[in-house]
Amino acid sequence: MKFNTKTIHGGQKHEEATGSVMTPIFQTSTYAQTSPGVNKGYEYSRAANPTRTALENAFASLENGTHGFAFASGLAAIDCVLRTLNPGDEVIAGDDIYGGTYRMFTRLFQKYGLKFQYVNMDEVESVANAVSENTKLIWIETPTNPLMKIADIEAITKTVKSIDSTILVAVDNTFATPYLQLPLNLGADIVMHSATKYLGGHSDLVMGALIVNNADLAKEIHFIQFAAGAIAGPMDSFLALRGIKTLHVRMQRHCENGKTVAEFLANHSKVGEVYYPGFSSHPNHEIAKKQMKDFGGMVSFRLKDESKQTAFSFLENLQVFTLAESLGGVESLVSHPVTMTHASIPEEERLKIGITDSLIRLSVGIEDIEDLLKDLEQALSV
């Protein structure tokens, strides 16, 4: 199937008992057995639930994987990946990652004996030079949150695997979605999503996803998911399935609107630097062109007036853009990384990579573009 067809039909089948076109919500915790250990494939919903199974099959189909897994949140999915490691193992991650990921790395797993290095993944050499005999996982975010850095997934994977083929490469594909980018096709071992964002697409659920194409790795992930219990429930699984069916048409508009908003901001007298991989001036624009179908709906920028007060004034005066955590919904959202998504990162570390008081992150929705531009203009004029 082509991608647009996969979003609707990929990994799916009509419900057998009634022929229901949509997967039903199997709101049950347990399943009848005809004899001890004899069942119809389901025993207890922590291990598997038919609604979640349908969603996990859809995840796998979208990412060209063989196994998909749905978790209670994106962080629960990351937690599962880290649980495949052992004390003393080392993780190499980008220096610009989601604040919640950084918080999990430094405040949870570091005290359990994992070690973390943070490097600028714009350059493949930075990753290669950081690899040691203890390195077991490369954690790539691309585009990054919030500075929209681009990492060359294929080049990093090939380089790392040439050093040690057992090192796992995981890619947080939340910003790009499988509509724009397919990390497994580029050699990655694991794809992670905060399905709360674009996959769900309607700001009405919290969920995480992992997709792999290795049976042994899938078996380990399933065991951790079952043993730790951070599963997605049937209602949220139903909502995510519904959201995925329009992913392709939503992403088309997100990309169109994102490009127009980025260009508007780049030409505005009160705006400084604009972070958008679709610009030829972006340091890794050519890599973005190579591995992404388009450039997405996420745009970050700085105000020329670098005071927090000016940033707050802009944020408080927006009327169509909603000031809120998260991203990827049909509605346009705006956030202030310093006080919201990246507040858990120490100020010294934020400033090193450029997350300052004047930095604004936009999740450009699918509204009429004229309304979005007017809203930005009036808020910038206040």
Side-chain angles (χ1 to χ4, degrees):
M1 291 181 185
K2 300 295 185 183
F3 185 84
N4 293 357
T5 308
K6 279 185 179 182
T7 62
I8 299 168
H9 300 288
Q12 304 303 293
K13 59 182 179 180
H14 300 151
E15 195 270 328
E16 293 179 359
T18 64
S20 173
V21 172
M22 289 299 296
T23 302
I25 303 167
F26 286 90
Q27 195 69 51
T28 184
S29 61
T30 193
Y31 306 83
Q33 302 186 23
T34 56
S35 183
V38 180
N39 54 66
K40 297 180 180 180
Y42 295 91
E43 298 174 293
Y44 187 61
S45 280
R46 175 160 42 81
N49 172 283
T51 314
R52 191 170 89 236
T53 297
L55 173 62
E56 291 175 334
N57 290 340
F59 284 157
S61 174
L62 290 176
E63 287 283 3
N64 289 345
T66 55
H67 300 79
F69 303 90
F71 292 84
S73 68
L75 285 171
I78 299 172
D79 174 84
C80 180
V81 174
L82 295 180
R83 287 173 188 263
T84 67
L85 306 178
N86 298 304
D89 289 348
E90 185 176 75
V91 178
I92 298 172
D95 60 0
D96 176 37
I97 56 174
Y98 167 53
T101 304
Y102 180 88
R103 180 178 59 231
M104 177 179 285
F105 287 0
T106 57
R107 297 182 64 180
L108 287 181
F109 280 92
Q110 205 161 270
K111 72 179 181 181
Y112 299 141
L114 294 186
K115 299 177 182 179
F116 297 89
Q117 276 197 76
Y118 301 95
V119 302
N120 182 356
M121 289 195 173
D122 282 6
E123 299 294 336
V124 178
E125 292 75 15
S126 299
V127 182
N129 292 338
V131 173
S132 73
E133 62 181 10
N134 296 319
T135 303
K136 301 299 179 185
L137 175 68
I138 310 297
W139 187 264
I140 300 173
E141 230 183 70
T142 183
T144 64
N145 181 5
L147 296 174
M148 305 303 293
K149 292 183 177 182
I150 301 294
D152 191 327
I153 298 169
E154 186 173 31
I156 290 173
T157 301
K158 284 182 177 178
T159 300
V160 168
K161 297 285 187 180
S162 71
I163 299 170
D164 183 348
S165 62
T166 67
I167 295 174
L168 294 175
V169 176
V171 177
D172 182 339
N173 203 28
T174 300
F175 271 28
T177 82
Y179 176 79
L180 300 178
Q181 178 173 275
L182 294 167
L184 295 180
N185 286 10
L186 299 172
D189 300 290
I190 302 170
V191 177
M192 174 267 168
H193 285 275
S194 174
T196 308
K197 314 307 196 287
Y198 285 108
L199 295 187
H202 293 78
S203 301
D204 55 8
L205 62 91
V206 175
M207 183 181 290
L210 294 178
I211 303 95
V212 301
N213 55 16
N214 177 284
D216 290 336
L217 183 56
K219 185 176 180 180
E220 184 174 12
I221 288 172
H222 181 261
F223 171 76
I224 295 169
Q225 183 189 44
F226 167 73
I231 55 166
M235 184 64 184
D236 282 349
S237 296
F238 174 84
L239 290 172
L241 273 169
R242 183 199 62 177
I244 284 171
K245 290 183 185 297
T246 60
L247 176 64
H248 57 298
V249 291
R250 287 187 285 108
M251 287 307 298
Q252 289 169 14
R253 180 58 69 85
H254 283 301
C255 290
E256 291 169 4
N257 283 357
K259 179 176 184 290
T260 305
V261 164
E263 290 172 345
F264 167 83
L265 292 169
N267 290 296
H268 199 284
S269 60
K270 292 190 177 181
V271 173
E273 191 169 2
V274 178
Y275 301 89
Y276 175 68
F279 287 159
S280 59
S281 58
H282 187 285
N284 278 354
H285 173 67
E286 291 303 316
I287 294 170
K289 281 175 60 179
K290 179 184 72 171
Q291 71 185 20
M292 297 173 70
K293 179 179 178 180
D294 206 329
F295 304 107
M298 300 300 299
V299 181
S300 295
F301 67 98
R302 297 184 194 283
L303 296 170
K304 285 183 178 177
D305 182 334
E306 298 185 357
S307 68
K308 184 179 286 188
Q309 182 179 0
T310 298
F312 276 30
S313 176
F314 168 76
L315 294 165
E316 291 165 358
N317 282 286
L318 288 165
Q319 296 173 8
V320 179
F321 281 84
T322 300
L323 177 61
E325 297 271 1
S326 201
L327 58 104
V330 292
E331 66 288 311
S332 291
L333 300 178
V334 60
S335 74
H336 187 240
V338 165
T339 55
M340 298 169 73
T341 56
H342 290 67
S344 60
I345 299 178
E347 182 179 13
E348 181 181 352
E349 297 301 317
R350 290 198 308 262
L351 292 176
K352 278 183 187 177
I353 61 172
I355 301 177
T356 62
D357 287 343
S358 68
L359 184 67
I360 308 291
R361 191 194 73 185
L362 302 178
S363 172
V364 183
I366 65 172
E367 301 95 338
D368 280 320
I369 190 61
E370 292 83 359
D371 293 324
L372 297 180
L373 298 183
K374 285 179 182 177
D375 192 35
L376 291 168
E377 179 60 55
Q378 64 82 23
L380 286 166
S381 299
V382 172

